[in-house]
Amino acid sequence: MERPAGWLGPARAAAARRRRGMSFETTTLAVHRPHQSYNEWLFITLNAYIPSRARGECLSRARARSTGTATGRKGSMWAAVPAAAACDALGDDDEGVPLGPGQLPPRNAHLPPLHAEINISIIMIKGQLELEVSHARRVYGVNGEVPDSYVKCYLRDGDKWLHKRKTRVVRRTTEPHFKQTLKYLASEALGRTLVVMLWQRCWGFEHNLALGGAEIALDKLTLPQRTYGWYPLFPATSFAGDDGSPD
């Protein structure tokens, strides 16, 4: 098998990371170069961060699913955080990742090793639910590029997605700072869950792409007190249903 330039064996990659004193939390992804295919970029990235026992399965999934998306209502395109589409078979990798306060993991879905996270705070005050969308980290586009991104929030009642709110678009960064507060009436929010979705803004005639999301059970929070937390984002495809996909 011909390997892309820059490939390192597992032992050499681990030794290089130790020499640099780097960890997963502080290491960025390999740069996606114009001449590289998505699978070549993914091969280099996974070689550096995923144990060798899981890498083969991950790459097999990448080849089969790297071009796959799902379509929601009104043509909204769904995708996964770059490695999510390739690595959602690694079900054991999300066991050590803490969920955010009140977060509900999607059924039959797993966190990929290279998942994005979003920092938010929630409080019920003066008859309104206030959601402060602060910032996100490890945000990459569906092809590994540095994306333009924004956040959409919904109240979910069973299969119904209600009362969409969204932030401004933050241009070309893997750590976007949104710093916006989105509000709902208390009567709209009670008895429902809150879904926070990260989206990639695509220009021209291309559809915007959902990168990942977190669903929060509001009844598990002490709403009169402000709750802060980091929420890992599950693959967006795990939130898409036949009739209940948000746009």
Side-chain angles (χ1 to χ4, degrees):
M1 174 181 176
E2 182 180 357
R3 307 195 185 279
W7 180 85
L8 297 175
R12 292 177 61 193
R17 289 197 300 273
R18 285 196 297 271
R19 287 196 301 272
R20 294 192 298 266
M22 302 173 77
S23 65
F24 174 78
E25 290 295 327
T26 59
T27 305
T28 58
L29 293 176
V31 175
H32 180 253
R33 305 184 188 283
H35 67 274
Q36 286 180 322
S37 69
Y38 172 65
N39 283 345
E40 288 175 334
W41 168 83
L42 188 60
F43 187 96
I44 295 171
T45 300
L46 298 183
N47 180 70
Y49 299 109
I50 299 179
S52 56
R53 62 181 175 81
R55 193 177 303 125
E57 183 177 0
C58 224
L59 290 170
S60 296
R61 274 298 184 91
R63 297 187 185 97
R65 301 178 54 183
S66 62
T67 59
T69 56
T71 305
R73 294 179 299 164
K74 298 182 181 179
S76 299
M77 297 303 294
W78 290 74
V81 178
C87 306
D88 60 354
L90 306 182
D92 295 335
D93 287 351
D94 62 337
E95 293 181 356
V97 178
L99 301 180
Q103 185 172 3
L104 302 173
R107 185 179 303 174
N108 299 324
H110 303 286
L111 282 171
L114 304 175
H115 61 272
E117 295 182 316
I118 191 165
N119 184 269
I120 62 175
S121 69
I122 303 172
I123 189 172
M124 185 79 76
I125 186 171
K126 296 182 180 180
Q128 289 188 317
L129 179 73
E130 294 189 0
L131 167 66
E132 182 182 351
V133 182
S134 179
H135 57 289
R137 61 190 179 191
R138 294 196 300 271
V139 178
Y140 290 88
V142 295
N143 293 316
E145 73 274 26
V146 178
D148 299 339
S149 59
Y150 65 101
V151 173
K152 285 185 184 180
C153 297
Y154 314 81
L155 294 175
R156 189 173 186 179
D157 186 359
D159 290 334
K160 297 179 180 179
W161 299 74
L162 309 168
H163 307 294
K164 177 175 66 179
R165 305 284 191 271
K166 62 181 180 180
T167 69
R168 63 186 177 91
V169 176
V170 178
R171 299 293 301 273
R172 293 190 59 79
T173 177
T174 60
E175 297 188 358
H177 286 251
F178 303 102
K179 298 293 184 182
Q180 282 189 249
T181 299
L182 308 178
K183 298 181 179 181
Y184 295 94
L185 294 176
S187 58
E188 296 173 339
L190 294 178
R192 292 169 174 160
T193 61
L194 175 69
V195 180
V196 180
M197 302 289 300
L198 182 66
W199 287 71
Q200 178 180 354
R201 176 70 168 91
C202 298
W203 302 96
F205 295 101
E206 297 183 19
H207 292 287
N208 296 336
L209 299 171
L211 298 177
E215 184 170 10
I216 303 166
L218 296 174
D219 58 3
K220 292 187 176 182
L221 305 179
T222 306
L223 291 177
Q225 299 177 1
R226 187 174 295 277
T227 301
Y228 299 86
W230 279 101
Y231 289 80
L233 300 183
F234 284 83
T237 49
S238 62
F239 295 90
D242 294 335
D243 302 314
S245 305
D247 51 41

